[in-house]
Amino acid sequence: QVQLVESGGGSVQAGGSLRLSCAASGYTYSSGCMGWFRQALGKEREGVAAICDDGTSSYADSVKGRFTVSQGNAENTLYLQMNSLKPEDTAMYYCAADPLYGTSLYFISAPGKINYWGQGTQVTVSS
């Protein structure tokens, strides 16, 4: 049974930083992709960043240059380093994984077939 558990969310002022972690049990990043999505109150879910076993990574335009997705030394850990946070980054952030996705851009732009999702961690950025 695959379980994804996010941590690291919290409240921060604009311009600050947070690092989100995703610990995967029952799943190893040996194929496919892992990534981060977010959903703000009243808005649709948005793909934020993803990294795949082909070594590629992709980011939403709104976070390019500020966020970095990376794997931990263990293949079942994923991170999202978020710098220069803005109030519009406020959202619930979800970790996701699927062994069958092939590219990071497709993973964040077409998440309808992603099999594994975490419960989310809240990020709140105040101005």
Side-chain angles (χ1 to χ4, degrees):
Q1 182 179 357
V2 175
Q3 187 175 18
L4 304 178
V5 179
E6 305 94 336
S7 62
S11 298
V12 64
Q13 289 192 324
S17 298
L18 284 173
R19 188 194 197 201
L20 305 184
S21 299
C22 174
S25 58
Y27 182 91
T28 55
Y29 178 72
S30 56
S31 64
C33 303
M34 293 185 74
W36 294 93
F37 292 78
R38 67 185 180 185
Q39 188 166 19
L41 201 61
K43 295 188 177 181
E44 292 187 356
R45 180 180 58 192
E46 173 189 22
V48 175
I51 187 167
C52 297
D53 65 336
D54 63 353
T56 63
S57 58
S58 294
Y59 297 88
D61 288 343
S62 58
V63 307
K64 281 180 181 176
R66 300 188 297 122
F67 290 12
T68 303
V69 62
S70 62
Q71 274 183 274
N73 290 332
E75 289 187 332
N76 59 350
T77 306
L78 188 73
Y79 299 106
L80 184 67
Q81 178 66 43
M82 306 186 295
N83 299 328
S84 302
L85 282 161
K86 304 176 181 180
E88 51 264 44
D89 294 319
T90 296
M92 185 72 78
Y93 282 71
Y94 298 91
C95 177
D98 196 283
L100 297 181
Y101 273 72
T103 68
S104 54
L105 182 60
Y106 185 65
F107 188 85
I108 62 172
S109 61
K113 295 183 179 180
I114 293 175
N115 277 295
Y116 307 117
W117 293 88
Q119 293 299 306
T121 185
Q122 178 68 36
V123 171
T124 302
V125 184
S126 58
S127 57

